[in-house]
mmCIF file of all heavy atoms in Angstrom:
data_model
loop_
_atom_site.group_PDB
_atom_site.id
_atom_site.type_symbol
_atom_site.label_atom_id
_atom_site.label_comp_id
_atom_site.label_asym_id
_atom_site.label_seq_id
_atom_site.Cartn_x
_atom_site.Cartn_y
_atom_site.Cartn_z
ATOM 1 N N THR A 804 1.053 36.682 -39.225
ATOM 2 C CA THR A 804 0.263 36.076 -40.327
ATOM 3 C C THR A 804 -1.106 35.529 -39.632
ATOM 4 O O THR A 804 -1.164 35.401 -38.450
ATOM 5 C CB THR A 804 0.978 34.866 -40.839
ATOM 6 O OG1 THR A 804 0.325 34.237 -41.890
ATOM 7 C CG2 THR A 804 1.296 33.716 -39.720
ATOM 8 N N THR A 805 -2.091 35.405 -40.460
ATOM 9 C CA THR A 805 -3.513 34.941 -39.895
ATOM 10 C C THR A 805 -3.871 33.635 -40.465
ATOM 11 O O THR A 805 -4.799 33.060 -39.927
ATOM 12 C CB THR A 805 -4.424 36.084 -40.294
ATOM 13 O OG1 THR A 805 -4.513 36.281 -41.661
ATOM 14 C CG2 THR A 805 -4.126 37.371 -39.537
ATOM 15 N N SER A 806 -3.250 33.171 -41.623
ATOM 16 C CA SER A 806 -3.718 31.952 -42.082
ATOM 17 C C SER A 806 -2.707 31.137 -42.673
ATOM 18 O O SER A 806 -2.771 29.845 -42.742
ATOM 19 C CB SER A 806 -4.845 32.240 -43.163
ATOM 20 O OG SER A 806 -4.176 32.946 -44.239
ATOM 21 N N GLY A 807 -1.519 31.642 -43.105
ATOM 22 C CA GLY A 807 -0.477 30.919 -43.774
ATOM 23 C C GLY A 807 0.433 30.200 -42.770
ATOM 24 O O GLY A 807 0.273 30.248 -41.509
ATOM 25 N N HIS A 808 1.360 29.553 -43.322
ATOM 26 C CA HIS A 808 2.430 28.825 -42.604
ATOM 27 C C HIS A 808 3.739 29.578 -42.764
ATOM 28 O O HIS A 808 4.115 29.919 -43.866
ATOM 29 C CB HIS A 808 2.642 27.346 -43.128
ATOM 30 C CG HIS A 808 3.708 26.668 -42.482
ATOM 31 N ND1 HIS A 808 3.754 26.266 -41.142
ATOM 32 C CD2 HIS A 808 5.009 26.381 -42.912
ATOM 33 C CE1 HIS A 808 4.939 25.527 -40.798
ATOM 34 N NE2 HIS A 808 5.736 25.670 -42.036
ATOM 35 N N ILE A 823 1.207 35.036 -34.593
ATOM 36 C CA ILE A 823 0.585 34.060 -35.462
ATOM 37 C C ILE A 823 -0.774 33.893 -35.041
ATOM 38 O O ILE A 823 -1.058 33.584 -33.859
ATOM 39 C CB ILE A 823 1.347 32.745 -35.337
ATOM 40 C CG1 ILE A 823 2.748 33.018 -35.517
ATOM 41 C CG2 ILE A 823 0.890 31.779 -36.405
ATOM 42 C CD1 ILE A 823 3.331 33.547 -36.898
ATOM 43 N N HIS A 824 -1.703 33.992 -36.007
ATOM 44 C CA HIS A 824 -3.208 33.857 -35.597
ATOM 45 C C HIS A 824 -3.659 32.583 -36.406
ATOM 46 O O HIS A 824 -3.558 32.481 -37.518
ATOM 47 C CB HIS A 824 -3.965 35.088 -36.060
ATOM 48 C CG HIS A 824 -5.276 35.201 -35.419
ATOM 49 N ND1 HIS A 824 -6.400 34.333 -35.697
ATOM 50 C CD2 HIS A 824 -5.798 36.035 -34.454
ATOM 51 C CE1 HIS A 824 -7.390 34.684 -34.981
ATOM 52 N NE2 HIS A 824 -7.144 35.726 -34.275
ATOM 53 N N GLY A 825 -4.526 31.729 -35.566
ATOM 54 C CA GLY A 825 -5.004 30.613 -36.225
ATOM 55 C C GLY A 825 -5.991 30.948 -37.444
ATOM 56 O O GLY A 825 -6.719 31.933 -37.364
ATOM 57 N N PRO A 826 -6.158 30.156 -38.462
ATOM 58 C CA PRO A 826 -5.505 28.839 -38.581
ATOM 59 C C PRO A 826 -4.011 28.752 -39.051
ATOM 60 O O PRO A 826 -3.512 27.786 -39.540
ATOM 61 C CB PRO A 826 -6.439 28.132 -39.573
ATOM 62 C CG PRO A 826 -6.827 29.221 -40.538
ATOM 63 C CD PRO A 826 -6.999 30.441 -39.579
ATOM 64 N N GLY A 827 -3.399 29.972 -38.953
ATOM 65 C CA GLY A 827 -1.956 29.988 -39.395
ATOM 66 C C GLY A 827 -1.108 29.144 -38.441
ATOM 67 O O GLY A 827 -1.532 28.902 -37.328
ATOM 68 N N THR A 828 0.069 28.693 -38.962
ATOM 69 C CA THR A 828 0.957 27.920 -38.128
ATOM 70 C C THR A 828 2.301 28.407 -38.356
ATOM 71 O O THR A 828 2.757 29.185 -39.414
ATOM 72 C CB THR A 828 0.795 26.331 -38.735
ATOM 73 O OG1 THR A 828 1.121 26.376 -40.103
ATOM 74 C CG2 THR A 828 -0.529 25.701 -38.471
ATOM 75 N N CYS A 829 3.216 28.002 -37.481
ATOM 76 C CA CYS A 829 4.596 28.303 -37.596
ATOM 77 C C CYS A 829 5.499 27.277 -37.147
ATOM 78 O O CYS A 829 5.196 26.402 -36.372
ATOM 79 C CB CYS A 829 4.971 29.729 -36.854
ATOM 80 S SG CYS A 829 4.905 29.491 -35.068
ATOM 81 N N HIS A 844 -2.255 32.943 -31.261
ATOM 82 C CA HIS A 844 -3.692 33.135 -30.919
ATOM 83 C C HIS A 844 -4.505 31.967 -31.762
ATOM 84 O O HIS A 844 -4.492 32.121 -32.934
ATOM 85 C CB HIS A 844 -4.245 34.526 -31.228
ATOM 86 C CG HIS A 844 -5.457 34.771 -30.995
ATOM 87 N ND1 HIS A 844 -5.968 35.070 -29.584
ATOM 88 C CD2 HIS A 844 -6.767 34.804 -31.685
ATOM 89 C CE1 HIS A 844 -7.315 35.194 -29.496
ATOM 90 N NE2 HIS A 844 -7.828 35.030 -30.818
ATOM 91 N N ASN A 845 -5.169 31.141 -31.097
ATOM 92 C CA ASN A 845 -5.975 30.147 -31.625
ATOM 93 C C ASN A 845 -5.184 29.231 -32.697
ATOM 94 O O ASN A 845 -5.788 28.816 -33.636
ATOM 95 C CB ASN A 845 -7.140 30.780 -32.282
ATOM 96 C CG ASN A 845 -8.148 31.357 -31.397
ATOM 97 O OD1 ASN A 845 -8.465 32.622 -31.422
ATOM 98 N ND2 ASN A 845 -8.733 30.586 -30.423
ATOM 99 N N VAL A 846 -3.895 29.103 -32.507
ATOM 100 C CA VAL A 846 -3.159 28.240 -33.393
ATOM 101 C C VAL A 846 -3.422 26.835 -33.354
ATOM 102 O O VAL A 846 -3.630 26.337 -32.212
ATOM 103 C CB VAL A 846 -1.694 28.572 -33.231
ATOM 104 C CG1 VAL A 846 -1.217 29.974 -33.555
ATOM 105 C CG2 VAL A 846 -1.258 28.262 -31.848
ATOM 106 N N PRO A 847 -3.745 26.049 -34.331
ATOM 107 C CA PRO A 847 -3.932 24.742 -34.269
ATOM 108 C C PRO A 847 -2.697 23.862 -34.007
ATOM 109 O O PRO A 847 -2.675 22.942 -33.202
ATOM 110 C CB PRO A 847 -4.482 24.364 -35.699
ATOM 111 C CG PRO A 847 -3.970 25.364 -36.514
ATOM 112 C CD PRO A 847 -3.905 26.627 -35.765
ATOM 113 N N LEU A 848 -1.481 24.405 -34.510
ATOM 114 C CA LEU A 848 -0.245 23.705 -34.225
ATOM 115 C C LEU A 848 0.929 24.577 -34.490
ATOM 116 O O LEU A 848 1.008 25.087 -35.680
ATOM 117 C CB LEU A 848 -0.161 22.418 -34.937
ATOM 118 C CG LEU A 848 1.133 21.617 -34.582
ATOM 119 C CD1 LEU A 848 1.108 21.185 -33.081
ATOM 120 C CD2 LEU A 848 1.129 20.286 -35.349
ATOM 121 N N CYS A 849 1.803 24.921 -33.606
ATOM 122 C CA CYS A 849 2.972 25.513 -33.822
ATOM 123 C C CYS A 849 4.140 24.962 -33.035
ATOM 124 O O CYS A 849 3.932 24.426 -32.048
ATOM 125 C CB CYS A 849 2.887 27.113 -33.368
ATOM 126 S SG CYS A 849 1.904 28.192 -34.390
ATOM 127 N N PRO A 870 -7.314 25.964 -29.642
ATOM 128 C CA PRO A 870 -6.856 25.735 -31.034
ATOM 129 C C PRO A 870 -7.936 25.694 -31.990
ATOM 130 O O PRO A 870 -9.012 25.051 -31.878
ATOM 131 C CB PRO A 870 -6.130 24.356 -30.840
ATOM 132 C CG PRO A 870 -5.759 24.221 -29.413
ATOM 133 C CD PRO A 870 -6.768 24.910 -28.661
ATOM 134 N N SER A 871 -7.695 26.388 -33.144
ATOM 135 C CA SER A 871 -8.741 26.603 -34.147
ATOM 136 C C SER A 871 -8.985 25.165 -34.814
ATOM 137 O O SER A 871 -8.239 24.388 -35.104
ATOM 138 C CB SER A 871 -8.213 27.495 -35.224
ATOM 139 O OG SER A 871 -8.967 27.512 -36.361
ATOM 140 N N ALA A 872 -10.318 24.938 -35.052
ATOM 141 C CA ALA A 872 -10.824 23.769 -35.641
ATOM 142 C C ALA A 872 -10.492 23.807 -37.157
ATOM 143 O O ALA A 872 -10.451 22.828 -37.795
ATOM 144 C CB ALA A 872 -12.261 23.578 -35.371
ATOM 145 N N ASP A 873 -10.335 25.012 -37.680
ATOM 146 C CA ASP A 873 -9.967 25.206 -39.028
ATOM 147 C C ASP A 873 -8.476 25.103 -39.264
ATOM 148 O O ASP A 873 -7.740 25.970 -38.629
ATOM 149 C CB ASP A 873 -10.550 26.682 -39.538
ATOM 150 C CG ASP A 873 -10.301 26.841 -40.977
ATOM 151 O OD1 ASP A 873 -9.937 25.843 -41.724
ATOM 152 O OD2 ASP A 873 -10.458 27.953 -41.517
ATOM 153 N N LYS A 874 -7.956 24.203 -39.875
ATOM 154 C CA LYS A 874 -6.504 23.866 -40.026
ATOM 155 C C LYS A 874 -6.052 24.102 -41.500
ATOM 156 O O LYS A 874 -6.578 23.817 -42.368
ATOM 157 C CB LYS A 874 -6.266 22.528 -39.516
ATOM 158 C CG LYS A 874 -6.643 22.070 -38.199
ATOM 159 C CD LYS A 874 -6.420 20.695 -37.920
ATOM 160 C CE LYS A 874 -6.746 20.402 -36.426
ATOM 161 N NZ LYS A 874 -8.169 20.544 -36.041
ATOM 162 N N ASN A 875 -4.913 24.761 -41.603
ATOM 163 C CA ASN A 875 -4.333 25.023 -42.847
ATOM 164 C C ASN A 875 -3.591 23.714 -43.465
ATOM 165 O O ASN A 875 -3.552 22.667 -42.693
ATOM 166 C CB ASN A 875 -3.457 26.277 -42.925
ATOM 167 C CG ASN A 875 -2.119 26.054 -42.064
ATOM 168 O OD1 ASN A 875 -1.874 24.964 -41.639
ATOM 169 N ND2 ASN A 875 -1.431 27.199 -41.772
ATOM 170 N N TRP A 876 -2.971 23.958 -44.549
ATOM 171 C CA TRP A 876 -2.331 22.699 -45.244
ATOM 172 C C TRP A 876 -1.204 22.186 -44.523
ATOM 173 O O TRP A 876 -0.808 21.021 -44.634
ATOM 174 C CB TRP A 876 -1.885 23.218 -46.654
ATOM 175 C CG TRP A 876 -0.722 24.156 -46.530
ATOM 176 C CD1 TRP A 876 -0.882 25.590 -46.582
ATOM 177 C CD2 TRP A 876 0.652 23.930 -46.448
ATOM 178 N NE1 TRP A 876 0.344 26.112 -46.479
ATOM 179 C CE2 TRP A 876 1.233 25.179 -46.471
ATOM 180 C CE3 TRP A 876 1.431 22.749 -46.388
ATOM 181 C CZ2 TRP A 876 2.709 25.352 -46.350
ATOM 182 C CZ3 TRP A 876 2.678 22.898 -46.316
ATOM 183 C CH2 TRP A 876 3.364 24.119 -46.198
ATOM 184 N N ALA A 877 -0.482 23.079 -43.618
ATOM 185 C CA ALA A 877 0.699 22.673 -42.981
ATOM 186 C C ALA A 877 0.571 21.760 -41.715
ATOM 187 O O ALA A 877 1.510 21.152 -41.282
ATOM 188 C CB ALA A 877 1.573 23.839 -42.543
ATOM 189 N N TYR A 878 -0.690 21.747 -41.286
ATOM 190 C CA TYR A 878 -1.059 21.039 -40.047
ATOM 191 C C TYR A 878 -0.609 19.595 -40.036
ATOM 192 O O TYR A 878 0.159 19.027 -39.092
ATOM 193 C CB TYR A 878 -2.511 21.153 -39.617
ATOM 194 C CG TYR A 878 -2.852 20.410 -38.360
ATOM 195 C CD1 TYR A 878 -2.716 20.998 -37.172
ATOM 196 C CD2 TYR A 878 -3.355 19.216 -38.386
ATOM 197 C CE1 TYR A 878 -2.995 20.378 -36.010
ATOM 198 C CE2 TYR A 878 -3.667 18.536 -37.202
ATOM 199 C CZ TYR A 878 -3.537 19.047 -36.038
ATOM 200 O OH TYR A 878 -3.824 18.390 -34.877
#
Side-chain angles (χ1 to χ4, degrees):
T804 184
T805 57
S806 60
H808 172 73
I823 311 296
H824 198 290
T828 56
C829 71
H844 184 77
N845 294 115
V846 291
L848 187 58
C849 285
S871 173
D873 184 14
K874 300 176 176 61
N875 67 10
W876 66 269
Y878 178 83

